[in-house]
Amino acid sequence: MPKPDVGPTVALDLRVDRSSPVPLYFQLSRQLESAIEHGSLTPGSLLGNEIELAARLGLSRPTVRQAIQALVDKGLLVRRRGVGTQVVHSQVKRPLELSSLYDDLEAAGQRPATRVLVNTVVPAPAEVAAALGVPEGGDVHRVERLRLAHGEPMAYLINHLPTGLLDLDTDRLEATGLYRLMRSAGITLHSARQAIGARGATATEAERLTEPEGAPLLTMRRTTYDDTGRAVELGDHTYRPSRYSFEFQLLVRS
Amino acid sequence: MPKPDVGPTVALDLRVDRSSPVPLYFQLSRQLESAIEHGSLTPGSLLGNEIELAARLGLSRPTVRQAIQALVDKGLLVRRRGVGTQVVHSQVKRPLELSSLYDDLEAAGQRPATRVLVNTVVPAPAEVAAALGVPEGGDVHRVERLRLAHGEPMAYLINHLPTGLLDLDTDRLEATGLYRLMRSAGITLHSARQAIGARGATATEAERLTEPEGAPLLTMRRTTYDDTGRAVELGDHTYRPSRYSFEFQLLVRS
DNA sequence: GCCCCCAATATGTCCGGACAACCTGACTAC
DNA sequence: GTAGTCAGGTTGTCCGGACATATTGGGGGC
């Protein structure tokens, strides 16, 4: 059994602003996180005990613990009773978020473009009705979009949404992502259930994505819920696997 | 803006055992979770205010809050300041875990079988060395397995592991999953970075999975780290998309 | 020299209280 | 009738303290 390597204890320049409306634990948490990100806190180094840290900052121990716990939940820190709190070695990227393809691309500096192919209201097919919790045959929005990066088709996106939640303006759909539209309409996204698979391209998909028919495609079906538990969106997306893959970080919940 | 529908406040039969070594907040958390799962706490219903709940159970408010917070983090509950805590409507399945295919299949009652095709030590190729953090050309385990369900090939699994962590017995590899072996060897899995994509089957993959060459396959590459940050495993897996897809739940982190 | 026990140290759990911020609904003033 | 105000209720934040428990390393007994 290899002995756990314990790095040095690091002294940091931490400060909190009591006049700020930002919660103290959050201020501390953000400072620690950026210290880790910028390398001031190197992997393996000990954070120093909570009691002393609290005294140094003029905070109570529960407040310091709350700040540290937030980072433990993010997977940046590991606590060991009797040892201390240390920075994990592996570089942790963001865990999988409920993010839109549009935001992902923009964050990667790819200047995404959207072409809206269909934007209409249709009677809900059985599968869509079941996922959205609306009556079969009732009205639902249907949106088909093509997402491009650098002028190349990247994904073909079909979405169904309940009517009355949102007005789906084609111009605005081309200017930004669907999730951003929903958020700005006051919808608080809460959770999503998704399935990722693969299959050969149908004739329609092949044409839209400029791939040969039967070419391997990456598929995702996602149902998104807001914080009241309503289904607010059903997405059926196909991606060109040469252009896109799903990457994310998983944490073990202890 | 639709008014948030607030269900009835529910009275529950909750108890804590102070003589138990199980933390009180955890006892309460588990009881609430099972009440939600069993339907005693219906979606939308209010949990009752924390102060009174604490008084009723003879606990302090921080302890009750800790129990509730755990369920909020799991996405089962939603708190609203000035309103109360209520059960979310959508049925939340488990969020994506760091689980092995073996466990997934077993949980689904599929009686998985494993055929070990290769179990040897090889010099680490550059890509493997970089992912595992070992010298290029140094010794690493290489394991190739075929995972079957109901006698049908389901996935072709290639794994590389650092030497010295684990003794990889072929018989035990066929009897259980790799993650279970690692856990029983005292390795605490902490996080993993994975990428999911798709591509056409190579000749070797096609033969192993009894698919035609070029058939669409679902691919996953995963690097797993233990709680000290060491990379403990690199997996390159290919799945038959007709037999397997990745399904999981995402939560928005607020 | 080896092993066991124990003290020091760190986090884990729990308490009781206080005040702030926010939401809702009812009341009041116009 | 409408809009603004206020009060009550709930969660959010923070404090200071207490004891429990796991880990580690050193000292004492053998």
Side-chain angles (χ1 to χ4, degrees), chain B residues 91-114:
Chain B
Q91 77 273 21
V92 175
K93 304 277 181 174
R94 296 174 321 193
L96 185 52
E97 287 178 27
L98 187 46
S99 62
S100 70
L101 174 59
Y102 188 90
D103 293 339
D104 287 348
L105 289 172
E106 200 174 52
Q110 300 242 1
R111 287 185 300 111
T114 306

Side-chain angles (χ1 to χ4, degrees), chain B residues 129-242:
Chain B
L132 292 181
V134 301
E136 187 175 342
D139 280 354
V140 291
H141 287 287
R142 178 185 175 92
V143 177
E144 295 184 28
R145 293 169 296 164
L146 199 61
R147 183 85 78 209
L148 308 109
H150 301 304
E152 280 269 331
M154 187 151 195
Y156 174 47
L157 316 170
I158 301 177
N159 289 87
H160 289 90
L161 298 90
T163 51
L165 275 184
L166 192 62
D167 62 314
L168 289 165
D169 185 67
T170 295
D171 287 341
R172 282 201 292 173
L173 273 174
E174 301 215 324
T176 183
L178 180 59
Y179 279 15
R180 224 178 271 184
L181 274 186
M182 292 172 74
R183 267 187 267 262
S184 65
I187 297 173
T188 309
L189 301 179
H190 175 258
S191 65
R193 181 137 187 82
Q194 48 181 69
I196 296 176
R199 58 177 165 76
T202 65
T204 307
E205 289 164 349
E207 189 208 327
R208 299 263 157 94
L209 293 171
T210 68
E211 289 269 350
E213 195 173 335
L217 294 183
L218 192 60
T219 66
M220 179 186 71
R221 158 165 284 208
R222 169 153 70 181
T223 312
T224 311
Y225 304 90
D226 74 357
D227 56 359
T228 70
R230 288 181 307 191
V232 293
E233 178 242 358
L234 169 66
D236 285 285
H237 299 179
T238 53
Y239 303 87
R240 299 175 75 183
S242 59

